[in-house]
Amino acid sequence: MPIAVYEFPLCEKVRNYLRLEQLFKQLDHTATFDSEFECLHFFDVLFTLMDLLERLDVRTDFIRDIDVHEKNLVHWSTHPNIDASALDDALKTLHRLLSDLKRTNKLGSSLKDDRFLGSIRQRFSIPGGATSFDLPHLFCWLKQAKDVRNKDITMWVNQLALVRENITLLMQYLRERGRYEEVVGTNGFYQGVVTDKIDLIRVRCSNSQGYFPVLSGNKYRYGIRFMQLVADEGSAGGVLGDIKFDIACC
């Protein structure tokens, strides 16, 4: 049975982390395209990442989260059954990331200074703006040999490596905080209590029954309503039957 995992952030910081994580996945996919028109999507994703990093102060969030994880690992080091080698490796990784972050003023700023990217970026914000007559130098680049293009793409992507590594590690730690448990949504609805330690709700359910979860709530409670992908005529779209699913509060 096909299974889908839906993730619902409960704070703005995690929303931003999830957006960045998804954009990096898209960047990896588009970076391997061969067609010149498919390559245009790579730049679209890259510029979206740059826009997001310019608007957000994720560096501060990274430093705070890494500091918290470092303290937690130091606390766990006193546990008699801890894997000392794995703990030491994890601490070294955190120390390195923290040091790199403190040496960096603005994440992704080096891409903003790239002359070629700067010369084409503005046109990508205009619908249909990335045309051969608007950006002849871009289409000259697209006609270069694949190894030439890949060299440039690798250089640009590597300048975001610190952001990617932080996002990957912090989201891994966040997801590991929660363990799935099976619950039942009565008449397609389930309600839970929000605590200070919950930043992310993960819902794991069937993806072949024609329904999907939607989360709403406040700082005290949250509700998960299952909706029909194709609503019945005259219906609000909510599922009426009971639904078993797995939930993890991270």
Side-chain angles (χ1 to χ4, degrees), residues 81-147:
N81 297 323
I82 198 72
D83 185 333
S85 177
L87 178 67
D88 186 57
D89 289 342
L91 282 171
K92 285 180 180 177
T93 298
L94 291 177
H95 291 161
R96 175 177 55 81
L97 290 175
L98 192 58
S99 176
D100 290 344
L101 285 168
K102 289 182 176 179
R103 290 200 306 267
T104 304
N105 291 324
K106 188 70 175 178
L107 294 171
S109 60
S110 56
L111 287 174
K112 189 176 180 180
D113 298 330
D114 187 285
R115 293 183 62 184
F116 179 78
L117 294 179
S119 67
I120 66 174
R121 182 179 177 183
Q122 187 175 3
R123 299 300 306 182
F124 274 80
S125 63
I126 302 173
T131 58
S132 58
F133 58 83
D134 281 317
L135 299 172
H137 54 309
L138 170 60
F139 277 80
C140 178
W141 181 88
L142 291 171
K143 297 294 185 182
Q144 302 303 302
K146 184 179 179 180
D147 61 333

Side-chain angles (χ1 to χ4, degrees), residues 122-211:
Q122 187 175 3
R123 299 300 306 182
F124 274 80
S125 63
I126 302 173
T131 58
S132 58
F133 58 83
D134 281 317
L135 299 172
H137 54 309
L138 170 60
F139 277 80
C140 178
W141 181 88
L142 291 171
K143 297 294 185 182
Q144 302 303 302
K146 184 179 179 180
D147 61 333
V148 175
R149 298 200 311 268
N150 286 348
K151 182 179 179 181
D152 288 337
I153 287 173
T154 299
M155 175 187 67
W156 294 324
V157 171
N158 285 346
Q159 292 180 57
L160 294 171
L162 181 58
V163 183
R164 180 202 296 270
E165 192 172 4
N166 275 276
I167 285 293
T168 300
L169 186 68
L170 294 176
M171 288 308 301
Q172 175 188 335
Y173 282 161
L174 177 58
R175 291 180 176 117
E176 288 176 349
R177 275 167 40 181
R179 293 292 180 266
Y180 282 110
E181 62 173 313
E182 185 179 272
V183 296
V184 176
T186 305
N187 289 324
F189 181 77
Y190 175 84
Q191 188 175 66
V193 177
V194 177
T195 69
D196 292 339
K197 295 182 179 181
I198 300 178
D199 292 321
L200 179 70
I201 301 292
R202 307 184 78 200
V203 174
R204 186 171 64 188
C205 61
S206 168
N207 197 42
S208 61
Q209 303 300 311
Y211 56 71

Side-chain angles (χ1 to χ4, degrees), residues 13 16-18 20-21 24 53 56-70 94 97-98 101-102 107 160-171:
K13 178 189 69 177
N16 294 330
Y17 283 6
L18 286 170
L20 289 169
E21 182 183 53
F24 275 116
L53 289 173
L56 305 174
D57 185 19
V58 292
R59 174 180 172 273
T60 299
D61 288 331
F62 287 167
I63 291 174
R64 287 173 180 166
D65 283 351
I66 288 176
D67 186 56
V68 169
H69 289 307
E70 182 182 12
L94 291 177
L97 290 175
L98 192 58
L101 285 168
K102 289 182 176 179
L107 294 171
L160 294 171
L162 181 58
V163 183
R164 180 202 296 270
E165 192 172 4
N166 275 276
I167 285 293
T168 300
L169 186 68
L170 294 176
M171 288 308 301

Side-chain angles (χ1 to χ4, degrees), residues 186-190 212-216 223-227 238-240:
T186 305
N187 289 324
F189 181 77
Y190 175 84
F212 60 92
V214 176
L215 184 141
S216 61
I224 297 173
R225 168 71 67 183
F226 285 88
M227 306 295 293
V239 176
L240 299 180

